[in-house]
């Protein structure tokens, strides 16, 4: 019997048999705790340790309660130790624990997976215990790893520990995936059965045997914050250096026991032995943690070793070199090809691609730096950074003592002539910007001859943006040192636009404006005479009903009616008894329910009948706590969103249309590829169940991005908010509808006071 009278049972899930055991808790923990190996990516300038051999270790993930993890029900798995604050849940219903945060690096599960489940009943009872272990991929796909149903007995007087051991596991999980543990006990008679966790004597946990390594890197940083391997000595012959270790661990800071530093000099004597490195910062989302220690080194060369110990006493070591030597003053004078000084440029002396010293040139093109002698460390490179360009000024140059070096920078003046195509007229007073990688490096205004000159420009490819009151135009130009002038011919369309602007300022223009206004009034009156028709007309525009299994994209500029369009489509399909899962990124679900009620549909009643489900992605954006049963804290968290949609589909009978309003916040937050993968995966998934995916997207995003989403869709509905004769209007057209003979023309529509769409056919 275990200490405290606790009963422990071990079950080999592959055999579906159980035997009693009498190991104490310390032995159980010893059985479950070995060492973890995880692959990651270290920041630049870190020397990274490579594992000599690939081994496996067991990582123990304890079940915890974390109210901050509301998106996964507040029940998580992590390497954090048992808190001692006991938590319980009704085990007769499925209890789910999810690894939080998701994996920040690929993980190879190889060998044994073991679940340690602790139960206690209201009376001694037998029943069936189910344990399921699965992976939830980035796109929300749930992939089973191991599961089993076994007969078990639970006592009333004390908790019972049951260990499921699954052998022969071989599964690789991608970065961004997470791990899920499911537990349910089905008693033979009705009684209460509790699952217990975070109790020192009854800690539910999951142990997985993994292959891969913690990634450990080390670098040295000067007191100026600049990474380097060579440091200047002070008057006493010493230098203060910061040794910095970087660790990437998919299971978080709790998996790292300590990090130490040892230093040996060039005679291999130990200068510093196992000095603790201090934790300074970490990024939970990437699993990256920084440890550092400020040390003083005297003149000489050194080898620094960072050693990390994980919670199972596995050791990882990384090494890098550093040198403390005397630095000498170096004066560098930089001029362009015409002998003019290059001002305000950053000049850097590099040793093996590492910056040794850097500063800006003054008005005379002079910069004062310092560097060790090349006789000590070897040759240097000198680079210049100016206006978005990095230029190599000298390579493999020797610096000996106090040197003055004169360098010529490959810079030349660049004149850009802007004129109208065909007519050849100069464009006067236009602003011209030179951009490199979306950053403006130079700008000016064209003169009376339509030209502007930029001084001391580096050769290379540039984006030229031209703008005045009448036009906006961009072109890509290549500047070379041999060609001093480039010409930009603005297309004739802009010339016509310019002429129209001139005509409007004349008496004839006023007369023409009166005619246009009269025509606009006539058009408005004519449009008012058109009788609006209900949304049922949508089927006629489409050339038939939307297919039961399809992906439909609704695009449009702000205010064009995308949200009302997706509401209208959802209500049409709900009327055909099709379940709906509505994901909202642009409004609180309560507001959506109110809007649907104004349209004549009681969403709350449909929710009770398990016909409609809402997933709230907006509360997280608004920075408030969601009151919805299904919610996601971030629009880019597709892992959690996939879990919530899967849960909703289960509640609606395994199938249903999915509506997303809108996918634009995800794209704006830089997760374009993940958003596209989401559309592909869930589009295929719901279509396989004879259902459809509908989503809205802003037409203001990059055209190439919009085209990629259009390519994935079976149906593309375009909306537009525009102005005609001083009146704001909305219109719609079906750009694409596979299998349907749809109309190609735009058709106007309005949105009435209830929020219903009414078409205005000719």
């Amino acid at each position: 019997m275990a200490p405290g009278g606790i009963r422990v049972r071990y079950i080999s899930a592959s055999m579906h048999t159980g035997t009693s055991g009498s190991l104490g808790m310390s032995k159980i923990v010893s059985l479950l705790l070995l060492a973890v190996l995880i692959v990651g990516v270290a920041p630049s300038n870190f020397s990274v340790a490579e594992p000599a051999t690939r081994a496996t270790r067991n990582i123990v993930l304890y079940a915890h309660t974390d109210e901050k993890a509301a998106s996964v029900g507040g029940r998580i798995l992590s390497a954090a130790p048992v808190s001692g604050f006991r938590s319980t849940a009704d085990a007769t219903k499925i209890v789910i624990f999810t690894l939080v945060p998701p994996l920040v690096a690929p993980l190879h599960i190889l060998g044994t997976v073991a679940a340690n489940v602790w139960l206690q009943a209201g009376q001694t009872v037998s029943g069936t215990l189910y344990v399921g272990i699965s992976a939830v991929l980035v796109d929300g796909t749930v992939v089973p790893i191991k599961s089993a149903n076994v007969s078990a007995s639970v006592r009333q007087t004390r908790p019972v520990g049951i260990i499921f051991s699954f052998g022969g596991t071989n599964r690789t999980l991608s970065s961004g995936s997470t791990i899920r543990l499911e537990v349910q006990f089905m008693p033979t008679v009705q009684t209460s059965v509790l699952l217990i966790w975070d109790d020192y004597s009854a800690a539910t946990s999951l142990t997985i045997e993994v292959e891969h390594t913690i990634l450990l890197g080390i670098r040295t940083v000067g007191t100026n914050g600049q990474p380097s391997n060579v440091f200047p000595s002070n008057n006493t012959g010493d230098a203060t250096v910061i040794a910095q270790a970087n660790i990437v661990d998919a299971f978080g800071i709790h998996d790292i026991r300590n990090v130490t530093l040892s230093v040996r000099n060039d005679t291999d004597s130990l200068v510093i032995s196992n000095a603790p490195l201090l934790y300074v910062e970490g990024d939970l989302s990437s699993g990256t943690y920084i440890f550092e220690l400020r040390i003083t080194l005297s003149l000489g060369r050194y080898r620094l070793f960072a050693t990390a110990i994980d919670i199972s006493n596995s050791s990882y070591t990384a090494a890098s070199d550093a040198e403390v030597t005397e630095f000498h003053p170096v004066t560098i004078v930089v001029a362009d090809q015409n002998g003019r000084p290059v001002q305000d440029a950053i000049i850097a002396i590099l040793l093996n691609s590492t910056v040794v010293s850097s500063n800006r040139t003054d008005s005379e093109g002079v910069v004062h730096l310092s560097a060790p002698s090349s006789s000590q460390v070897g040759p240097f490179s000198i680079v210049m950074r100016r206006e978005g360009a990095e230029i190599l000024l000298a390579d493999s140059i020797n610096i000996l003592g106090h040197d003055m070096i004169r360098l010529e920078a490959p810079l030349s003046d660049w004149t850009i002539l802007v004129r109208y195509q065909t007519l050849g007229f100069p464009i006067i007073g236009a602003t011209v910007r030179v951009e490199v990688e979306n950053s403006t490096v130079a700008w000016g205004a064209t003169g009376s001859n339509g030209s502007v000159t930029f001084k001391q420009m580096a050769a290379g490819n540039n984006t030229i943006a031209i703008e005045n009151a009448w036009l906006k135009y961009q072109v890509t130009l290549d500047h070379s040192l041999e060609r001093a002038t480039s010409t930009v011919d603005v297309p004739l369309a802009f010339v016509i636009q310019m002429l129209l602007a001139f005509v409007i300022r004349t008496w004839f223009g006023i007369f023409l404006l009166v005619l246009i206004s009269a025509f606009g009034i006539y058009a408005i009156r004519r449009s008012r005479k058109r009788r609006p028709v209900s949304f049922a007309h949508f089927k006629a525009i489409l050339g038939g009903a939307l297919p039961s299994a399809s992906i439909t994209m609704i695009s449009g500029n702000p205010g064009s009616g995308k949200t009302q369009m997706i509401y209208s489509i959802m209500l049409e399909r709900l009327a055909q008894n099709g379940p709906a899962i509505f994901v909202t990124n642009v409004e609180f679900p309560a507001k959506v329910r109110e809007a649907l009620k104004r349209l004549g549909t009681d969403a709350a009643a449909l929710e009770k009948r398990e016909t409609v489900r809402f997933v709230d992605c907006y509360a997280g954006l608004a920075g408030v706590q969601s009151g919805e049963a299904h919610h996601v804290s971030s629009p880019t968290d597709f892992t959690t969103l996939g879990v919530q949609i899967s849960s909703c589909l289960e509640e609606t009978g395994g199938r249903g249309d999915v509506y997303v309003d809108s996918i634009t916040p995800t794209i704006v937050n830089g997760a374009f590829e993940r958003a596209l993968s989401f559309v592909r995966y869930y589009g295929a998934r719901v279509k396989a169940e004879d259902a459809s995916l509908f989503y809205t997207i802003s037409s203001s995003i990059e055209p190439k991005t919009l085209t990629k989403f259009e390519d994935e869709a079976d149906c593309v509905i375009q909306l537009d908010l525009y102005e005609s004769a001083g009146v704001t209007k909305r219109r719609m057209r079906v750009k694409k509808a596979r299998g349907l003979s749809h109309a190609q023309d735009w058709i106007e529509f309005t949105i009435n006071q209830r929020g219903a769409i009414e078409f205005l056919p000719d």
Side-chain angles (χ1 to χ4, degrees):
M1 214 38 99
I6 296 174
R7 183 166 177 262
V8 183
R9 298 183 61 210
Y10 299 89
I11 297 176
S12 174
S14 59
M15 299 175 59
H16 289 193
T17 61
T19 60
S20 296
S22 59
L23 289 178
M25 278 305 298
S26 61
K27 293 185 178 179
I28 296 170
V29 174
S30 298
L31 174 67
L32 297 178
L33 293 176
L34 296 172
V36 70
L37 301 172
I38 302 174
V39 171
V41 178
S44 58
N45 299 316
F46 278 91
S47 296
V48 180
E50 296 291 344
T53 59
R54 300 181 69 182
T56 62
R57 82 172 258 223
N58 288 353
I59 178 74
V60 180
L61 303 175
Y62 288 101
H64 296 290
T65 299
D66 186 353
E67 295 179 356
K68 295 180 181 178
S71 60
V72 294
R75 295 169 182 161
I76 69 167
L77 294 171
S78 82
V82 177
S83 69
F85 297 99
R86 182 177 185 175
S87 294
T88 62
D90 182 0
T92 63
K93 299 178 181 178
I94 292 182
V95 184
I96 300 175
F97 297 93
T98 305
L99 177 66
V100 175
L103 297 169
V104 297
L107 183 71
H108 187 188
I109 302 175
L110 182 63
T112 301
V113 177
N116 186 13
V117 178
W118 288 88
L119 301 169
Q120 187 171 2
Q123 64 184 68
T124 300
V125 65
S126 298
T128 301
L129 178 60
Y130 163 76
V131 170
I133 303 163
S134 57
V136 182
L137 306 186
V138 176
D139 59 10
T141 306
V142 178
V143 180
I145 297 176
K146 293 290 182 180
S147 65
N149 289 281
V150 296
S151 298
S153 178
V154 181
R155 293 190 177 184
Q156 175 186 12
T157 54
R158 55 187 178 275
V160 174
I162 304 172
I163 297 179
F164 280 68
S165 178
F166 302 93
T169 308
N170 189 346
R171 176 83 63 176
T172 298
L173 305 184
S174 61
S175 176
S177 302
T178 190
I179 299 170
R180 191 161 73 179
L181 170 65
E182 298 181 356
V183 178
Q184 184 179 21
F185 185 80
M186 292 156 280
T188 54
V189 297
Q190 187 172 358
T191 186
S192 63
V193 181
L194 296 179
L195 177 68
I196 306 169
W197 66 92
D198 256 339
D199 187 319
Y200 290 127
S201 60
T204 293
S205 63
L206 176 65
T207 303
I208 53 177
E209 188 175 0
V210 298
E211 183 184 58
H212 288 315
T213 179
I214 289 176
L215 191 70
L216 171 65
I218 182 173
R219 68 178 181 181
T220 45
V221 180
T223 54
N224 59 357
Q226 183 70 48
S228 181
N229 291 327
V230 181
F231 301 92
S233 60
N234 55 25
N235 295 333
T236 61
D238 297 327
T240 299
V241 177
I242 300 171
Q244 199 172 78
N246 175 83
I247 295 179
V248 179
D249 190 334
F251 293 107
I253 190 69
H254 298 292
D255 192 39
I256 304 167
R257 177 160 291 171
N258 59 61
V259 186
T260 59
L261 175 73
S262 295
V263 180
R264 292 184 179 273
N265 61 19
D266 52 5
T267 64
D268 203 32
S269 298
L270 198 61
V271 178
I272 298 174
S273 177
N274 294 324
L277 286 163
L278 304 177
Y279 173 69
V280 291
E281 63 177 330
D283 181 2
L284 192 64
S285 61
S286 66
T288 303
Y289 307 97
I290 302 295
F291 297 76
E292 65 181 32
L293 181 66
R294 186 179 292 257
I295 59 176
T296 300
L297 300 175
S298 57
L299 287 167
R301 295 179 178 176
Y302 299 89
R303 185 80 167 161
L304 287 78
F305 301 88
T307 301
I309 308 293
D310 60 33
I311 58 175
S312 60
N313 289 324
S314 292
S315 176
Y316 308 86
T317 301
S320 69
D321 296 315
E323 181 174 355
V324 177
T325 186
E326 184 181 359
F327 276 41
H328 307 283
V330 179
T331 300
I332 299 177
V333 182
V334 185
D336 66 10
Q337 291 183 323
N338 296 320
R340 296 173 301 181
V342 178
Q343 305 176 19
D344 201 33
I346 296 177
I347 307 299
I349 300 175
L350 276 66
L351 178 63
N352 299 325
S353 301
T354 300
V355 175
V356 172
S357 180
S358 68
N359 211 335
R360 289 184 180 273
T361 56
D362 60 18
S363 60
E364 301 298 322
V366 178
V367 60
H368 300 286
L369 303 174
S370 62
S373 172
S374 292
S375 62
Q376 286 286 111
V377 297
F380 297 92
S381 299
I382 300 177
V383 300
M384 177 180 72
R385 299 186 182 95
R386 184 175 183 270
E387 295 179 346
E390 182 169 305
I391 302 170
L392 179 65
L393 299 181
D395 192 19
S396 297
I397 185 172
N398 288 316
I399 297 176
L400 303 172
H402 188 169
D403 277 355
M404 173 177 281
I405 304 171
R406 295 185 178 273
L407 298 172
E408 181 181 283
L411 303 173
S412 65
D413 295 349
W414 189 16
T415 298
I416 298 177
L417 175 62
V418 185
R419 62 189 185 183
Y420 288 105
Q421 190 181 51
T422 306
L423 300 178
F425 295 158
I427 301 179
I428 302 170
T431 299
V432 179
R433 297 194 313 274
V434 181
E435 298 178 350
V436 177
E437 296 181 353
N438 298 320
S439 296
T440 299
V441 298
W443 68 277
T446 56
S448 58
N449 63 348
S451 69
V452 59
T453 299
F454 300 103
K455 302 291 186 181
Q456 295 183 328
M457 299 296 292
N461 194 264
N462 304 269
T463 297
I464 308 301
I466 302 166
E467 184 176 349
N468 66 12
W470 305 281
L471 63 89
K472 289 184 179 180
Y473 185 67
Q474 274 194 355
V475 66
T476 301
L477 291 181
D478 193 46
H479 172 51
S480 65
L481 301 179
E482 294 77 24
R483 187 174 62 182
T485 303
S486 298
T487 301
V488 177
D489 287 318
V490 180
L492 193 58
F494 290 98
V495 178
I496 296 172
Q497 185 179 12
M498 186 81 167
L499 290 174
L500 286 175
F502 172 77
V503 168
I504 289 175
R505 287 197 297 268
T506 65
W507 285 106
F508 174 74
I510 295 173
F511 174 71
L512 185 62
L513 184 61
V514 171
L515 288 179
I516 293 173
S517 299
F519 177 78
I521 294 170
Y522 167 75
I524 292 170
R525 289 177 176 176
R526 184 176 179 273
S527 68
R528 287 176 178 172
K529 291 180 181 179
R530 288 181 288 177
R531 293 184 177 181
V533 295
S534 70
F535 189 77
H537 187 65
F538 179 73
K539 185 175 180 180
I541 301 170
L542 198 61
L546 280 169
S548 58
S550 62
I551 301 175
T552 297
M553 168 178 152
I554 303 168
S555 68
N557 53 349
S560 58
K562 298 184 294 297
T563 295
Q564 298 306 126
M565 182 63 68
I566 202 169
Y567 287 169
S568 301
I569 293 174
M570 181 174 73
L571 294 181
E572 285 280 315
R573 294 175 72 88
L574 279 171
Q576 301 168 15
N577 298 319
I581 290 88
F582 194 92
V583 180
T584 172
N585 273 328
V586 297
E587 189 54 274
F588 292 106
K591 295 291 185 181
V592 178
R593 293 184 183 96
E594 291 175 7
L596 295 178
K597 195 164 188 177
R598 286 194 298 271
L599 290 169
T601 297
D602 188 347
L606 294 177
E607 287 180 90
K608 291 179 181 178
R609 295 203 297 267
E610 298 184 344
T611 302
V612 172
R613 286 291 182 267
F614 290 96
V615 180
D616 182 8
C617 298
Y618 184 70
L621 284 173
V624 299
Q625 185 71 31
S626 176
E628 298 292 322
H630 302 284
H631 57 273
V632 179
S633 59
S634 169
T636 61
D637 186 359
F638 283 102
T639 299
T640 304
L641 178 58
V643 172
Q644 296 298 330
I645 291 177
S646 297
S647 178
C648 289
L649 287 171
E650 290 177 7
E651 294 174 10
T652 58
R655 66 176 296 274
D657 295 329
V658 177
Y659 302 84
V660 182
D661 184 29
S662 150
I663 210 161
T664 305
T666 302
I667 300 171
V668 171
N669 280 284
F672 151 66
E673 291 293 346
R674 295 179 66 186
L676 191 60
S677 297
F678 171 84
V679 169
R680 287 171 179 160
Y681 172 76
Y682 271 96
R685 179 174 175 181
V686 297
K687 286 169 69 174
E689 297 295 334
D690 197 32
S692 296
L693 170 66
F694 301 86
Y695 65 93
T696 63
I697 187 171
S698 173
S699 58
S700 303
I701 65 175
E702 186 180 10
K704 290 182 180 179
T705 300
L706 198 64
T707 300
K708 289 185 178 181
F709 279 95
E710 288 180 352
D711 291 342
E712 297 297 327
D714 301 299
C715 180
V716 176
I717 300 170
Q718 285 187 324
L719 306 180
D720 184 34
L721 180 72
Y722 68 104
E723 189 170 302
S724 175
V727 178
T728 300
K729 298 182 178 181
R730 293 183 176 91
R731 60 183 179 176
M732 183 204 85
R733 74 165 179 169
V734 180
K735 184 177 182 180
K736 172 182 176 183
R738 289 176 184 161
L740 297 174
S741 300
H742 59 89
Q744 298 283 347
D745 299 331
W746 289 96
I747 180 170
E748 288 185 27
F749 69 92
T750 62
I751 299 174
N752 64 24
Q753 292 182 347
R754 294 189 302 110
I757 288 177
E758 295 178 337
F759 292 105
L760 298 170
D762 291 330

